[in-house]
Amino acid sequence: MTGNNILVINGGSSSLKFALINDQEANPRISGLAERLGSVEAGLSWKDSQGKHSKAISKAGHQQALAELLPLVQNAAPEGLQGVGHRVVHGGEAFTGSCLIDNSVIDAIRATIPLAPLHNPANLMGIEAALAVFPDLPQVAVFDTAFHQSLPDYAYRYAIPTSLYEQHGVRRYGFHGTSHRYVSAEAARLMNADYQQSSWLTAHLGNGCSTCAIVNGQSRDTSMGLTPLEGVVMGTRSGDVDPNLHSHLANVMGWTLAEVTRVLNNESGLKGLSGLSNDMRTLEEAAGEGHAGAQLAMEVFCYRLAKSLASMACALPQLDGLIFTGGIGENSPLIRSKTVAHLRLLGLQLDDAANLRCIRGVAGEIQASGSPRVLVVPTNEELQIALDTLNLIQPHGAAHA
Ligand code: ADP
């Protein structure tokens, strides 16, 4: 069986990530990145069965980068492409699931730009470039926010004047939905459980981090809010702070709103606390050598993560499992163990040997006997985007590799 080929695109303002996914194969046939688009240093780098490659594409924009990519894709998918799936960060309240892209969808993504001024215009550039290069293929938008549209109002509303919600959409949206959805469904599959009758806590820990409570296949609460700054500590993002911090820093430091926003998004989190790095590997090494900032950053990260998971537990009728995913969640036994150590009240406890075994893509259960399940499940947002795309373009739905 040759399966179906889907090109998955994640457009950034000056970059475009891509992966060619076949639904019958475990790994992408090609994946890569076009970066510094629009500049003389623009470049394309990709990985395929033959190894790693790169190519200068000086001054190329998004569309030219995709045109450069076209022969590579055609070469890797001689059977042809069935469709293109796009990651879109913000779907506002307009999108509760993935959808086929047409002009009205593009207009709705554009209308959501005020909620995601950096991401949505960049995602639209990717969509428009792909429509120009692949005019005959069906294209699908998969939103980071859509999975969380099932949150009840008491979980998504902020306690601020209602008019701000009604007139300006100020509410909690949540992000990383594709990952939370993928790993929770995958956990149910691994456990032979019925996803539609199961309850999970998920911790997606990459450069951005978020937690989620999932009941019967639906997100019931999540840690990110109006923007991806809310919630737990991240690589460079602060997560929750006192909402008065903006005015306090403006008064004390004389900073503009833009400066405060930049510091909270780019100079905070693990980087700000450690004074060293936003990268957990670097921090683990430094902490091992006695670096006090790195040690504190890891302690705050784990405590705040555990606190967020405990609060997410309010949304669950029972706990079928806690799932770790993302670069940190999939690879750091230390962070998993420090986090779970704060969750004794939920009865959670790890098996040290099992915890150490689940790294570098190895999925599995890592709880001690008698504890509710704790699982490591590698995320695969590209595969989920490809599966959503196939489900929408094929009446009989997608098969999973
Ligand atoms: P992104 O959100 O950009 O996709 P990833 O999911 O790749 O990021 O996660 C990046 C994070 O994962 C970094 O903090 C990195 O240090 C961390 N990470 C990757 N491997 C390890 C490891 N072996 N131990 C600890 N942290 C790791």
Side-chain angles (χ1 to χ4, degrees):
M1 201 194 292
T2 53
N4 298 287
N5 295 315
I6 299 292
L7 181 64
V8 174
I9 292 178
N10 183 353
S13 56
S14 64
S15 70
L16 200 140
K17 282 194 210 153
F18 58 88
L20 176 65
I21 307 280
N22 182 291
D23 67 334
Q24 298 296 309
E25 296 168 16
N27 297 310
R29 291 192 180 177
I30 334 180
S31 61
L33 173 69
E35 55 190 337
R36 295 185 291 278
L37 294 175
S39 79
V40 279
E41 293 99 43
L44 183 63
S45 54
W46 71 98
K47 199 168 85 177
D48 60 19
S49 56
Q50 261 103 59
K52 290 185 176 171
H53 317 267
S54 62
K55 179 178 180 184
I57 49 171
S58 189
K59 296 198 184 141
H62 288 71
Q63 194 169 320
Q64 248 175 303
L66 271 184
E68 291 282 346
L69 196 60
L70 187 58
L72 304 175
V73 170
Q74 285 169 335
N75 196 30
E79 324 89 300
L81 270 184
Q82 274 68 49
V84 182
H86 295 269
R87 175 188 182 207
V88 181
V89 167
H90 218 308
E93 291 187 327
F95 298 101
T96 58
S98 304
C99 63
L100 277 164
I101 295 174
D102 60 15
N103 285 337
S104 70
V105 169
I106 290 178
D107 288 346
I109 296 173
R110 193 166 284 124
T112 312
I113 287 176
L115 292 171
L118 297 178
H119 289 104
N120 273 26
N123 298 152
L124 276 171
M125 275 198 260
I127 291 174
E128 276 159 2
L131 287 170
V133 175
F134 303 102
D136 300 324
L137 286 180
Q139 313 224 3
V140 166
V142 179
F143 300 91
D144 274 25
T145 52
F147 183 54
H148 304 299
Q149 280 296 301
S150 47
L151 259 60
D153 54 3
Y154 55 79
Y156 73 68
R157 287 290 298 274
Y158 291 114
I160 57 175
T162 295
S163 58
L164 293 174
Y165 166 61
E166 289 178 348
Q167 289 159 34
H168 301 284
V170 179
R171 53 160 282 179
R172 309 182 63 251
Y173 290 94
F175 299 86
H176 291 146
T178 310
S179 177
H180 291 295
R181 176 161 61 102
Y182 176 80
V183 297
S184 54
E186 191 63 8
R189 197 178 66 81
L190 290 170
M191 296 299 109
N192 283 322
D194 179 356
Y195 187 45
Q196 300 307 327
Q197 307 260 321
S198 62
S199 300
W200 307 95
L201 290 177
T202 49
H204 174 101
L205 311 175
N207 279 308
C209 301
S210 67
T211 61
C212 186
I214 298 150
V215 179
N216 303 342
Q218 293 192 332
S219 173
R220 291 289 165 81
D221 202 356
T222 190
S223 59
M224 284 177 166
L226 176 72
T227 74
L229 184 60
E230 188 176 332
V232 297
V233 175
M234 312 180 210
T236 62
R237 286 175 243 165
S238 61
D240 293 340
V241 290
D242 186 322
N244 271 328
L245 188 59
H246 269 81
S247 60
H248 180 75
L249 292 178
N251 291 336
V252 172
M253 307 294 291
W255 288 350
T256 60
L257 270 184
E259 181 62 1
V260 179
T261 303
R262 190 189 69 77
V263 168
L264 294 182
N265 278 281
N266 302 335
E267 303 295 337
S268 299
L270 294 172
K271 182 181 177 191
L273 273 168
S274 67
L276 183 66
S277 172
N278 62 311
D279 190 293
M280 193 58 93
R281 268 168 305 201
T282 308
L283 296 185
E284 285 195 21
E285 261 176 52
E289 289 159 8
H291 190 288
Q295 288 167 351
L296 179 69
M298 288 167 60
E299 295 302 331
V300 176
F301 181 90
C302 294
Y303 179 65
R304 289 269 303 273
L305 173 60
K307 233 167 92 160
S308 173
L309 289 165
S311 71
M312 288 294 140
C314 293
L316 303 185
Q318 88 238 359
L319 178 60
D320 290 321
L322 162 63
I323 303 164
F324 284 99
T325 195
I328 299 171
E330 293 167 27
N331 292 297
S332 177
L334 182 61
I335 295 297
R336 296 191 297 242
S337 110
K338 280 179 172 295
T339 304
V340 168
H342 291 299
L343 292 167
R344 287 180 301 263
L345 212 59
L346 292 181
L348 294 166
Q349 220 187 333
L350 295 189
D351 176 295
D352 292 338
N355 186 27
L356 288 172
R357 263 198 308 275
C358 289
I359 52 170
R360 288 196 283 273
V362 176
E365 290 183 58
I366 61 170
Q367 76 280 357
S369 72
S371 160
R373 280 200 184 100
V374 182
L375 294 118
V376 177
V377 180
T379 194
N380 194 338
E381 289 161 280
E382 288 81 15
L383 176 61
Q384 185 65 64
I385 292 171
L387 293 174
D388 282 12
T389 304
L390 277 172
N391 272 322
L392 283 160
I393 64 183
Q394 290 185 334
H396 54 276
H400 187 338

